[in-house]
Amino acid sequence: MNTFFAVTTVALSYLCLLLVANEAFATEDDARELQMDTLQAVSGTVGDLVYQGETFAQKYSGATPAPLFRYERRVRTTPTGLEATHLTRDTAKQMVVTESAQFNTHYRLQRFAVDNRQLDYRGSVKVSSDGRRLNYRLNDRGTVSTAEESISLPAVSGPSLFGFILAHEQELAAGKTIQVRFIVMKEKQTYGLDIRQESATDGQVVYAITASSWLVRPLLSTMRATFDRTHKNWVRYEGRVPPMQTIAGKLADLDARVEYTAVAAPYR
């Protein structure tokens, strides 16, 4: 990918793949709309850089922890709103997880796609126009499956969650707890989350996110996201993240601390 021609060809191939995926949800290409090798070469094609993040393990050994992953949020304008893409790379700068969400200007989710190289699955979900029905398509290690889910609460995903919170910041500031359904692509279903404002000090607001189900709550620690009202951007997230960490040669869930560096404000 050292020549202009090669990079341009890769970029055009990726854009064409996205167009095909949007037109034909049920095709095999749709389950592969996020090609990591392509994105690694031309990540700028998926939108403007909003922020970069360094992902650390909450529990670590040693005095100076090093980030396990680095990721970036890129956003582009679409005919129906916005599309946000999260690109996560490991310490060797190889892409490990890509997530992309399409939503309207109020962060109401329209479509969500994941390509997870660590666990070798990729999939997408289309949200009905009324937001009450989700249609999944998953390719898990070569096995393709579909599912449909009916929901009565707003659906959110990793790339759309923070925007959803900001779209409801006045309600949260008034003490309201907002319930959502968070998409877990590998399981082709959603899980309930409760969002509330935990504190507001010196211009920084902390939002707490907990599992709605008492059965799930012991398995998923409270997540916290800190927003800087002065600079209109997120500064920190603490909780479960999509990439997994390697412990004793095996992949394990990662409860992380992510520190953000804003590139463009305000957040979108």
Side-chain angles (χ1 to χ4, degrees), residues 107-167:
Y107 288 87
R108 181 172 175 174
L109 191 63
Q110 300 162 339
R111 188 180 183 83
F112 176 52
V114 178
D115 199 337
N116 188 310
R117 178 164 288 182
Q118 281 187 322
L119 300 179
D120 193 18
Y121 74 85
R122 58 191 60 84
S124 52
V125 56
K126 186 176 181 180
V127 184
S128 63
S129 58
D130 62 4
R132 294 182 174 273
R133 189 175 66 258
L134 307 180
N135 288 101
Y136 297 89
R137 190 171 191 277
L138 177 69
N139 184 329
D140 189 356
R141 300 179 185 271
T143 300
V144 178
S145 60
T146 60
E148 183 174 306
E149 180 182 8
S150 296
I151 58 175
S152 57
L153 296 170
V156 298
S157 63
S160 70
L161 176 59
F162 284 2
F164 180 90
I165 290 174
L166 293 182

Side-chain angles (χ1 to χ4, degrees), residues 247-261:
I247 299 178
K250 296 182 179 180
L251 290 174
D253 288 330
L254 174 58
D255 289 320
R257 172 176 57 85
V258 184
E259 299 289 344
Y260 300 115
T261 300

Side-chain angles (χ1 to χ4, degrees), residues 12-236:
L12 289 174
S13 298
Y14 171 70
L15 292 175
C16 289
L17 185 61
L18 282 180
L19 290 173
V20 170
N22 286 335
E23 292 297 325
F25 177 75
T27 66
E28 179 64 18
D29 281 344
D30 185 46
R32 300 181 62 87
E33 67 252 72
L34 298 176
Q35 296 294 313
M36 289 197 191
D37 290 333
T38 301
L39 287 171
Q40 187 149 315
V42 288
S43 59
T45 64
V46 294
D48 298 327
L49 183 60
V50 175
Y51 63 58
Q52 296 171 317
E54 290 188 326
T55 302
F56 302 85
Q58 286 186 2
K59 297 181 180 180
Y60 59 87
S61 58
T64 306
L68 299 176
F69 303 96
R70 287 183 169 87
Y71 92 98
E72 57 192 53
R73 176 183 177 87
R74 291 184 173 272
V75 177
R76 70 183 184 93
T77 302
T78 70
T80 58
L82 299 172
E83 179 181 48
T85 301
H86 288 183
L87 307 173
T88 301
R89 296 175 173 86
D90 61 17
T91 54
K93 299 183 179 180
Q94 296 300 305
M95 202 81 72
V96 291
V97 179
T98 302
E99 296 185 320
S100 181
Q102 295 176 12
F103 39 81
N104 66 14
T105 54
H106 299 291
Y107 288 87
R108 181 172 175 174
L109 191 63
Q110 300 162 339
R111 188 180 183 83
F112 176 52
V114 178
D115 199 337
N116 188 310
R117 178 164 288 182
Q118 281 187 322
L119 300 179
D120 193 18
Y121 74 85
R122 58 191 60 84
S124 52
V125 56
K126 186 176 181 180
V127 184
S128 63
S129 58
D130 62 4
R132 294 182 174 273
R133 189 175 66 258
L134 307 180
N135 288 101
Y136 297 89
R137 190 171 191 277
L138 177 69
N139 184 329
D140 189 356
R141 300 179 185 271
T143 300
V144 178
S145 60
T146 60
E148 183 174 306
E149 180 182 8
S150 296
I151 58 175
S152 57
L153 296 170
V156 298
S157 63
S160 70
L161 176 59
F162 284 2
F164 180 90
I165 290 174
L166 293 182
H168 295 82
E169 62 178 334
Q170 292 185 355
E171 299 164 70
L172 292 165
K176 181 178 180 179
T177 295
I178 296 179
Q179 295 183 311
V180 297
R181 301 295 301 184
F182 187 85
I183 296 172
V184 179
M185 186 66 69
K186 198 171 191 308
E187 298 183 25
K188 303 193 296 288
Q189 70 175 80
T190 61
Y191 285 89
L193 295 178
D194 295 344
I195 305 170
R196 62 182 177 84
Q197 180 175 304
E198 186 174 72
S199 64
T201 307
D202 298 328
Q204 291 195 348
V205 184
V206 178
Y207 297 98
I209 307 163
T210 56
S212 302
S213 169
W214 64 271
L215 292 172
V216 178
R217 209 170 294 144
L219 306 176
L220 185 65
S221 299
T222 297
M223 298 163 278
R224 291 179 172 83
T226 303
F227 184 73
D228 187 327
R229 281 181 172 165
T230 301
H231 298 95
K232 305 297 181 184
N233 231 317
W234 297 90
V235 296
R236 184 177 303 105

